[in-house]
Amino acid sequence: MSEANPDQATGPAAATGTVVEDTPAENEKKREVRPAGLGVVGWARWFWRTLTSMRTALILLFLFALASIPGSLWPQRGISDAKVAQYFTDSPRLAEWLDRFWLFDAVRAPWFAAIYLLLFLSLIGCLVPRTMVHLREVRKKPPAAPRNLTRLPHHASFEGALTIEEAAARLRAKRFRVTTGPDWVAAEKGFLRETGNLVFHIALLGLLLAVGAGSLYGYRGNVLIVEGEGFANTVAAYDRYMPGQRVNAESLEPFSFTLQDFQATYVATGERSGQPLDFSAKLKVTDAPGAPEHDYSLKVNEPLNVNGTLSYLIDHGYAPTFKVTDGKGQVAFDGPVPCLVAQPSTFASECVIKVPDAQPEQLGFLVAFLPTAVPMGKEWVSVFPGAANPLAQVYGSFAGDLGLKNGRPQSVYEIEPAILKKMKPLVMKADPLAVGKSLVLPNGMGSIEFTGLKEWIALQITHDPGRTPAFLAAILIVGGLVLTLTVRRRRVWVRIQDVTRATGPGPGEQEEAEGRSESGPSTKNRHEDGLRHVEVGGLTRTEGGDFSEEFAEIVSALNPGVKDAR
C-alpha cells in the first residue's frame, strides 16, 4: 500500500486528474484572513514606544557613558592639539584610523551626537505623557470613601458631634483637597511628590539644553599677562582658545585691559608662615573701543564681568627680567620671562630663555628663580614665597640651533631634551645673580644680566550664554529632588453616621408595656441628638515613611477629645 501524498489533490477532481482552481470569492477570503503589516504609522508608533521606554533610556545612558570614554583615552582637538599632532607623528597609521572614527573629536562625533539626541528624545517622550497624566490627576476629585474603612492600613473610630461640613473644613485646614458625599468626606494630599519628580526631570532636561547652548555659542580661553602688559579680547591674544561650534571671531566681546600691578600677601611669621592671605590684580579696563577707561581690582572670587564675559584670576607667578647681549655686542633679548612654579610653598621657579636672534649662534638658558634666597650648604634655596631676596641662578646655558625653524610647535617653558643634546653647553650652575648683576658667557658668546622683577597672572576668560539658565535649572533640580524625597501621597476618608441605640420604655410607657399580653420588656430604637458614629481611614500611595503619627494628628483634629488614635 502506497502512502498518500498530502500535496496531491484528493476527491473526485483527483480521480479525474483535473486541477480545481479557487474561485475569486475564495481567493478574496484568503487575502482577508492573511495578517496585515504594520505599515508606516504602525512602525512609527512602535519606534516611538520603544524609544520612550525605560529600558531604552537606560541603554542610552549606558551608551552615553561609553561614548565619553574616548575623550579620556586619547588627546582631543581643541584641548591638547600639540598631543594630537605628536600622536600623528609617533603612530601615523593608528592615528589615521582613530581620526576616521572621530576619536580625537569625541564630543563632536556624529555617533556621540546621535546618542545625545536620542537620549533627549527619550527623555522628552517620557516627560510629556507623564505630565499630561499628572495634570489629569490634579484636576480629578478624590475618590469616594470605601464601604469598609476598617480594612485600610490606618483606621480609627469614635463618637462625637462631628458633621460632614466640619470634617471637610478641618481637613482643608491641613491642606487636603476635599470632596464630600451624603455621609462621607474624601481627602487627598501629596501631589507635590509627582510634581517635584516632573520638575526634577524637566529641569535636568533644561540643564542639558543650557550646557549644550553654552558649548555651541560660548567660548573660553587662557592667557598669561605680565605686569605692564595689556590684553585685547581677540583670538590672536589667547595662549589657548576653545570656541564653540557657532562662535566666530566677531562673537568676542571687544574689551581690553592693562595689568598695572599685582600684589600677593602672605603670612610673615608663625606656624602659618608663607600661607597666602590675599591676591589682587589692578586693571585698567576699557569695556569697548572708545569707551572711558576705569579701574578694577581683580580677585580670585571676584571676576571681571564685561557684558557676560567673565575673566577669572586662576594663577600667578614671577617674571624676572633679563637682558642678553650676544657675541657681537648687540642686545638680542631684553624683557620679562614668565617662570613656572616648581615649589608652591616657597615659589621657587624655573625659567627658560630662548634667544633665536643671538649671533653668531642662538642661545638658550635654564634659570632657577628664588624669591627669598638663602644659602643652605653649597646650594641656594628659597624659604618664603614673597620676593624678600630675589636671586636668579643660571644652571645651564647653551649655544646652537634651538629648532625653531622646523615648523613644529614648541613650548616656551622648556627646551626639549633632544634639542639640548645637539647644543653646545657654555655654563653649568653658575653663582646666583642679584638684581643688576650679570654673567659673562665663555668664548665671547655674550652675557646675561638680571635686570629686575615683575609678576604675571593667568586668567581664564569665558563666555557662556547658558550659565544663568543652567544655574536656575540646578536650583529647580534640587527643589524637585527635595519634594520627591520628602512628600508622600496619602488619602484620608471619613464616614459619619447617626448613632442609633436600643433603650427601655420611658416612664409614661410603663403601664402600656405591662398591659401587653405575653410580651417581654419592650425596647425602642432612639437617635441621640447630636451624637454620631465617625469612622476614619487612611492610606499612603507611596512606600517609605510612617503615616501613623500624621494619621493620629488628623483623628485628633477631627475629635479633639482623642489623645492618641494610633
Side-chain angles (χ1 to χ4, degrees):
M1 182 180 294
S2 62
E3 296 182 355
N5 188 354
D7 295 333
Q8 294 179 350
T10 59
T16 60
T18 61
V19 178
V20 179
E21 296 182 355
D22 293 335
T23 63
E26 291 175 342
N27 290 333
E28 185 66 24
K29 185 175 181 181
K30 289 181 179 179
R31 284 194 293 269
E32 290 177 357
V33 301
R34 188 176 299 162
L38 289 177
V40 177
V41 177
W43 279 108
R45 186 181 294 112
W46 173 85
F47 174 78
W48 180 252
R49 289 178 178 175
T50 304
L51 179 63
T52 57
S53 65
M54 181 61 69
R55 178 181 299 176
T56 303
L58 293 176
I59 293 175
L60 289 173
L61 282 173
F62 178 71
L63 291 177
F64 189 74
L66 287 180
S68 303
I69 294 177
S72 302
L73 297 180
W74 292 282
Q76 299 295 296
R77 290 190 175 95
I79 298 176
S80 303
D81 292 327
K83 292 184 179 180
V84 173
Q86 187 65 35
Y87 211 101
F88 274 90
T89 302
D90 298 338
S91 306
R93 295 294 300 273
L94 178 60
E96 181 180 353
W97 278 101
L98 293 176
D99 199 29
R100 289 181 181 179
F101 292 100
W102 298 72
L103 295 181
F104 294 123
D105 296 277
V107 179
R108 299 171 182 166
W111 42 266
F112 188 90
I115 297 173
Y116 190 78
L117 292 176
L118 287 175
L119 185 59
F120 263 102
L121 289 176
S122 179
L123 186 57
I124 293 172
C126 290
L127 286 176
V128 171
R130 283 183 59 187
T131 303
M132 301 304 297
V133 170
H134 181 59
L135 292 177
R136 288 195 297 267
E137 285 287 326
V138 170
R139 290 195 298 266
K140 288 171 60 176
K141 294 182 179 180
R147 187 179 300 274
N148 190 352
L149 295 181
T150 59
R151 294 182 178 179
L152 296 177
H154 305 275
H155 60 273
S157 61
F158 58 89
E159 293 181 358
L162 185 68
T163 64
I164 296 294
E165 292 75 14
E166 291 174 344
R170 294 176 186 179
L171 288 172
R172 287 192 182 96
K174 288 187 169 292
R175 299 182 180 180
F176 278 86
R177 293 193 315 123
V178 176
T179 185
T180 60
D183 61 347
W184 54 265
V185 179
E188 193 169 11
K189 189 177 183 181
F191 282 95
L192 285 178
R193 178 186 179 89
E194 180 63 16
T195 302
N197 198 347
L198 291 174
V199 167
F200 171 81
H201 287 88
I202 293 174
L204 181 61
L205 181 63
L207 179 63
L208 293 176
L209 288 173
V211 172
S215 63
L216 286 175
Y217 298 97
Y219 62 88
R220 60 190 176 97
N222 296 339
V223 61
L224 185 146
I225 305 173
V226 180
E227 287 177 330
E229 296 182 355
F231 168 80
N233 192 27
T234 60
V235 175
Y238 283 98
D239 298 326
R240 179 183 176 190
Y241 178 64
M242 293 159 284
Q245 295 182 0
R246 300 294 182 179
V247 176
N248 52 40
E250 290 74 19
S251 302
L252 275 64
E253 192 69 27
F255 69 93
S256 62
F257 58 81
T258 301
L259 176 60
Q260 298 289 325
D261 182 47
F262 177 78
Q263 293 291 334
T265 57
Y266 306 91
V267 178
T269 59
E271 296 180 356
R272 299 176 56 198
S273 176
Q275 292 189 8
L277 290 176
D278 188 31
F279 306 102
S280 179
K282 305 298 182 182
L283 306 179
K284 287 284 188 180
V285 184
T286 303
D287 293 338
E293 195 175 52
H294 62 91
D295 296 328
Y296 187 82
S297 180
L298 182 66
K299 296 180 179 294
V300 174
N301 295 319
E302 300 176 10
L304 172 66
N305 188 347
V306 181
N307 296 329
T309 301
L310 303 177
S311 300
Y312 294 91
L313 176 62
I314 60 174
D315 202 359
H316 74 101
Y318 288 102
T321 59
F322 297 92
K323 183 171 70 173
V324 177
T325 304
D326 62 14
K328 293 187 177 182
Q330 299 177 351
V331 177
F333 178 87
D334 188 6
V337 179
C339 301
L340 298 183
V341 179
Q343 296 179 359
S345 59
T346 63
F347 261 71
S349 306
E350 296 179 351
C351 321
V352 171
I353 307 173
K354 298 180 181 181
V355 191
D357 297 329
Q359 296 293 334
E361 292 186 89
Q362 297 179 352
L363 299 176
F365 299 89
L366 305 180
V367 182
F369 175 72
L370 307 174
T372 303
V374 296
M376 184 174 291
K378 296 182 180 181
E379 303 292 335
W380 286 82
V381 297
S382 178
V383 295
F384 188 75
N389 182 33
L391 294 180
Q393 183 178 24
V394 177
Y395 62 89
S397 63
F398 304 86
D401 185 10
L402 292 171
L404 299 176
K405 298 181 180 180
N406 58 12
R408 291 180 60 250
Q410 290 188 22
S411 172
V412 297
Y413 302 107
E414 68 172 354
I415 300 177
E416 296 179 4
I419 295 177
L420 281 178
K421 290 180 180 179
K422 299 177 182 179
M423 299 183 72
K424 178 174 60 177
L426 300 176
V427 176
M428 305 301 292
K429 203 172 185 179
D431 293 334
L433 301 176
V435 176
K437 300 297 182 180
S438 61
L439 172 66
V440 179
L441 301 178
N443 303 325
M445 298 300 295
S447 64
I448 179 172
E449 181 183 356
F450 179 23
T451 59
L453 181 63
K454 294 183 178 181
E455 295 188 68
W456 60 262
I457 61 172
L459 303 177
Q460 183 178 73
I461 301 174
T462 64
H463 177 73
D464 186 359
R467 182 172 59 94
T468 300
F471 176 71
L472 296 177
I475 294 176
L476 292 177
I477 286 175
V478 175
L481 188 61
V482 170
L483 290 176
T484 303
L485 297 177
T486 57
V487 177
R488 300 186 309 276
R489 185 88 173 270
R490 57 264 198 213
R491 287 176 175 172
V492 174
W493 291 275
V494 180
R495 188 179 292 278
I496 303 176
Q497 295 177 341
D498 292 333
V499 174
T500 302
R501 292 186 177 180
T503 61
E509 301 170 343
Q510 183 66 29
E511 295 180 358
E512 180 181 352
E514 290 177 353
R516 294 175 182 171
S517 59
E518 299 180 358
S519 298
S522 170
T523 61
K524 185 176 182 179
N525 291 333
R526 291 186 176 184
H527 295 284
E528 297 190 9
D529 294 337
L531 190 62
R532 298 174 179 86
H533 180 70
V534 182
E535 290 185 354
V536 185
L539 59 85
T540 58
R541 299 192 62 188
T542 53
E543 297 181 357
D546 186 10
F547 185 51
S548 301
E549 184 175 351
E550 184 180 2
F551 182 76
E553 293 176 357
I554 293 172
V555 175
S556 298
L558 295 173
N559 183 23
V562 177
K563 299 296 184 182
D564 193 351
R566 283 174 288 182

